[in-house]
Amino acid sequence: MTSPLALILAAKPEWMALDGLTAPLTGGATLQAGGAARDWKIGLTIAETGGVIEAREQPIGVLLPRFCPQRHVNENGSFCLGYRAGENICTVDDAAVWWGLLLQCLSLQCIASRTRHWPPRQA
């Protein structure tokens, strides 16, 4: 059986650049920020803890709050991507869905960083 982190690695999108291929995965995400003069870049760590995949800013607290329920940043600095989003990643398709959730979360974080408000109807 393939580990969830190996599946995450296999489904890695182009907007995520990794520093290496060993756990935990570290690197940077580059998002095109609509209407902005330049892309939005954020360092990330992606780790597996007890079979659950979590992503957090690396280092924590540079661009995003260390903890903020309104911004969907958990007490440990990980992102809330949805109910049980990092669990049961058993296929590359599951991993691709997880990456899509992370992209959506980061896109909303980018907007919130620019506007100082979480986008409406995006809870």
Side-chain angles (χ1 to χ4, degrees):
M1 183 174 171
T2 306
S3 76
L5 196 59
L7 293 167
I8 291 294
L9 184 58
K12 183 193 77 64
E14 289 189 20
W15 51 263
M16 181 68 192
L18 294 175
D19 297 331
L21 304 177
T22 58
L25 300 175
T26 60
T30 301
L31 283 71
Q32 293 181 342
R38 60 185 176 277
D39 294 341
W40 193 68
K41 297 181 181 190
I42 184 170
L44 296 176
T45 296
I46 300 167
E48 178 183 356
T49 305
V52 177
I53 299 294
E54 292 183 328
R56 58 183 46 85
E57 182 181 18
Q58 178 61 36
I60 293 174
V62 173
L63 296 176
L64 305 177
R66 293 179 163 279
F67 166 61
C68 182
Q70 293 82 7
R71 294 274 300 265
H72 299 265
V73 179
N74 298 318
E75 287 185 68
N76 67 357
S78 67
F79 304 133
C80 178
L81 303 181
Y83 182 68
R84 302 178 81 168
E87 298 179 23
N88 299 318
I89 296 176
C90 303
T91 67
V92 174
D93 287 341
D94 295 337
V97 169
W98 183 87
W99 281 110
L101 294 170
L102 179 60
L103 178 60
Q104 177 68 18
C105 176
L106 294 175
S107 296
L108 294 170
Q109 292 291 355
C110 179
I111 292 167
S113 291
R114 290 172 60 197
T115 65
R116 302 289 185 226
H117 296 284
W118 192 256
R121 297 178 301 282
Q122 297 298 318

